[in-house]
Amino acid sequence: MGMAAAAGFAADLTGNWLASQPLNDGTSRRTYLNLRQEGSRISGTIRTSQFYYKITESTGGPDHFTLTGTEEDGKTTRHVLYEGKMVGDELRLTTRRRPDAPLVEMVAHRAPAGEGAMPARLALPSLHKVPYNGLAKTPPMGWNSWNKFASRVDDAGVRQTADAIASNGMKDAGYVYVNIDDTWQGERDAQGNIHANKKFPDMKALADYVHSKGLKIGIYSSPGPNTCAGYEGSYGHEVQDARTYAEWGIDYLKYDWCGARNIYKAEDMQAVYQKMGDALRATGRPILYSLCQYGLDDVWTWGPQVSGNLWRTTGDIRDSWASMSKIGFSQSDLAQWAGPGHWNDPDMLEVGNGGMTDTEYRTHMSLWSMLAAPLLAGNDLSHVTPDIMQILLNRDVIAIDQDPAGHQAKCAWKSGDQEIWVRPLAKGDYAVALFNRATDSAKVTAKWAGLGLKGTPKHARDLWSHQNVKMDGPEYSADVPGHGVVMLRVGR
Ligand code: GLA
């Protein structure tokens, strides 16, 4: 009996376990398994930075067990599967981040009770209007590291990108923000100040460098304890982080909900974003404020209230025609919410990343410009083909995006896979884009009377061929290549 009890105790999985996996940027990814074993049933929670799973199924015991963790955030359900055994006083575990991801092995040791628990919801300020910061009178233009580099962004890469933008014509065309996305963060010090990880030895020096090129620099954080990639977020340090960014000389913050979803409720969102809006304002430095919460909670109705200069309207873009076109062509109903200082953000550009044809990338650039979307290039600017450069540098198309009136285009006509979008411009011109979403080329006819224009166009310019187009009747037809566009600027 004594023996059995002792053996039973030694082999009990109950407890708080920590597996810490070092990453090559000097940070580590921590997984906490808070387990309770009752006979043949194991319950509890698993937390890997921003992911917080409830154990919903288990098999086995200390000699060999499996755990299924489930996370539900109202919209999506995620599962994670762990398999493991207890050896001495450690857990040897294997897991997959996604069903199709490679197997990860890890070893967990006992951790103090309570360590790694998901922190509590913070009290939030009552709602008020955060004054407009005066920025983004036209949609922001620049570059962001995520689409191409994800966790591979580093100091050298950001400097190279700034060099490229300053010398390849992009700066002159209006691309000014060089934005570092997720994975720059290191640990906090004893005073709670955030430091960058090994990839960014000196943020202030980097900001100085980017500024010396006549450009501006952006950074990324989350209202949660962790970001989407599992790095340190601004939870409980909002004011302090805003001050740090201002001290470094940061000009742009993308603030990503991801890691906050297990802490706050959807209805807390406005107050959560207001808190950072106030914190940025209190620094006295103009910092452009980009809200990233994928269009939840009708963000366009309250984004300007928290001094948001742009807000994502959808989930993440991918470098494919399917993803880009699904996002881009779904934005018509949001047109009324865009305007100088505050823009809808259908996510960053994939132009030049290789997953679409040049025709498709021209459509991407045209559609985003019709939508008055931010133009944040997301490709490797040290290797750009001349054709891709021409797409990014098309001044006629950029002028549509940057039109000072700030009206967003709407879909004015649609028949099957063909759509005509119209954007009213300052001084009475219009941008008119004839899109063909089918794979085969198609003739698309703009019948002016049905498109909501004031009057019939007398002159027009094709913004990709850079030719004047003859306008002499009630309609205009063009052969539009599959997945392509004919984009015009028309006037009276
Ligand atoms: C989310 C955002 C992306 C990117 C990643 C970084 O998915 O929507 O744009 O910032 O997080 O982890």
Side-chain angles (χ1 to χ4, degrees):
M1 145 90 193
M3 283 279 296
F9 175 73
D12 194 340
L13 292 167
T14 300
N16 193 24
W17 301 87
L18 166 62
S20 188
Q21 302 158 275
L23 303 179
N24 56 15
D25 56 24
T27 65
S28 53
R29 187 181 296 276
R30 295 193 186 93
T31 301
Y32 286 93
L33 298 103
N34 200 307
L35 306 181
R36 186 173 176 81
Q37 187 191 334
E38 287 155 305
S40 62
R41 184 170 169 268
I42 308 162
S43 58
T45 56
I46 301 170
R47 177 178 175 204
T48 303
S49 53
Q50 81 280 24
F51 296 108
Y52 195 53
Y53 303 94
K54 213 174 143 190
I55 296 173
T56 47
E57 275 174 49
S58 73
T59 65
D63 293 343
H64 175 259
F65 59 86
T66 65
L67 305 172
T68 305
T70 304
E71 184 188 73
E72 279 175 79
D73 63 10
K75 253 177 105 184
T76 36
T77 306
R78 293 183 186 81
H79 294 291
V80 73
L81 188 74
Y82 284 81
E83 193 169 344
K85 61 181 176 189
M86 196 167 169
V87 180
D89 206 23
E90 54 183 46
L91 298 187
R92 306 242 171 108
L93 299 157
T94 55
T95 185
R96 286 179 206 278
R97 293 252 151 70
R98 296 179 306 275
D100 57 340
L103 211 59
V104 179
E105 290 184 20
M106 54 177 107
V107 178
H109 298 275
R110 287 193 184 272
E115 191 185 292
M118 199 47 103
R121 175 183 178 278
L122 296 174
L124 292 168
S126 55
L127 296 181
H128 63 89
K129 161 102 182 115
V130 184
Y132 170 47
N133 58 19
L135 301 172
K137 294 251 159 64
T138 60
M141 291 178 66
W143 176 89
N144 175 293
S145 58
W146 186 256
N147 283 355
K148 173 71 188 180
F149 294 97
S151 66
R152 287 172 292 122
V153 61
D154 64 5
D155 179 281
V158 172
R159 283 172 196 253
Q160 274 166 26
T161 301
D163 292 346
I165 292 177
S167 60
N168 66 7
M170 287 179 73
K171 178 181 155 186
D172 295 337
Y175 295 87
V176 291
Y177 288 100
V178 180
N179 292 348
I180 303 166
D181 207 277
D182 206 349
T183 79
W184 63 266
Q185 307 88 332
E187 314 276 325
R188 292 187 185 278
D189 61 25
Q191 284 71 48
N193 293 313
I194 184 81
H195 293 272
N197 63 42
K198 274 199 210 156
K199 297 190 296 173
F200 292 91
D202 187 340
M203 264 308 177
K204 180 153 180 21
L206 179 58
D208 288 347
Y209 183 80
V210 172
H211 291 152
S212 78
K213 298 270 156 184
L215 301 170
K216 294 179 185 297
I217 185 164
I219 212 161
Y220 165 100
S221 191
S222 169
N226 296 99
T227 65
C228 237
Y231 286 73
E232 185 75 19
S234 292
Y235 169 88
H237 295 273
E238 295 82 356
V239 170
Q240 196 175 10
D241 284 359
R243 257 191 232 137
T244 302
Y245 304 152
E247 278 161 23
W248 286 342
I250 298 295
D251 307 296
Y252 185 122
L253 173 68
K254 172 175 169 183
Y255 205 43
D256 188 343
W257 180 249
C258 203
R261 68 186 189 285
N262 285 307
I263 295 186
Y264 297 108
K265 301 198 182 73
E267 55 267 31
D268 295 334
M269 240 178 240
Q270 182 173 346
V272 169
Y273 276 91
Q274 174 188 300
K275 192 172 180 182
M276 184 50 95
D278 278 332
L280 292 175
R281 178 175 161 76
T283 67
R285 185 179 175 84
I287 300 179
L288 200 150
Y289 190 23
S290 155
L291 317 187
C292 175
Q293 39 82 291
Y294 340 112
L296 298 173
D297 199 30
D298 293 342
V299 58
W300 37 86
T301 62
W302 54 263
Q305 288 286 116
V306 303
S307 73
N309 297 111
L310 62 158
W311 45 81
R312 281 274 297 278
T313 57
T314 70
D316 290 10
I317 194 168
R318 278 171 294 106
D319 182 20
S320 69
W321 166 259
S323 167
M324 184 279 290
S325 60
K326 182 168 175 234
I327 289 177
F329 289 112
S330 71
Q331 302 294 299
S332 191
D333 289 345
L334 296 179
Q336 60 170 307
W337 304 104
H342 52 89
W343 308 99
N344 290 310
D345 172 9
D347 209 355
M348 306 171 289
L349 297 175
E350 292 282 10
V351 174
N353 279 333
M356 290 182 248
T357 64
D358 287 357
T359 299
E360 291 167 340
Y361 284 139
R362 272 190 287 277
T363 297
H364 186 7
M365 184 78 185
S366 304
L367 185 48
W368 261 235
S369 296
M370 293 297 287
L371 295 173
L375 297 180
L376 296 171
N379 56 327
D380 180 354
L381 295 180
S382 55
H383 300 95
V384 195
T385 65
D387 288 347
I388 292 298
M389 211 63 226
Q390 265 185 22
I391 295 174
L392 290 173
L393 291 182
N394 186 327
R395 299 280 191 117
D396 287 343
V397 172
I398 291 172
I400 302 302
D401 182 71
Q402 297 289 302
D403 183 77
H407 301 301
Q408 178 176 324
K410 284 188 198 163
C411 181
W413 175 88
K414 180 174 161 70
S415 168
D417 285 329
Q418 285 78 46
E419 300 186 11
I420 301 176
W421 288 58
V422 174
R423 176 171 175 180
L425 303 172
K427 298 187 188 143
D429 281 4
Y430 292 90
V432 178
L434 283 55
F435 291 104
N436 176 15
R437 297 175 66 175
T439 36
D440 295 332
S441 67
K443 183 174 163 185
V444 182
T445 301
K447 294 187 176 139
W448 301 120
L451 294 179
L453 276 62
K454 290 202 191 83
T456 306
K458 295 282 177 299
H459 61 86
R461 190 170 171 77
D462 181 316
L463 304 185
W464 286 106
S465 73
H466 306 289
Q467 307 284 321
N468 290 334
V469 179
K470 220 169 151 254
M471 280 290 134
D472 52 6
E475 59 181 57
Y476 172 77
S477 293
D479 287 319
V480 185
H483 292 184
V485 63
V486 168
M487 189 168 171
L488 305 172
R489 181 183 191 119
V490 306
R492 281 180 285 151

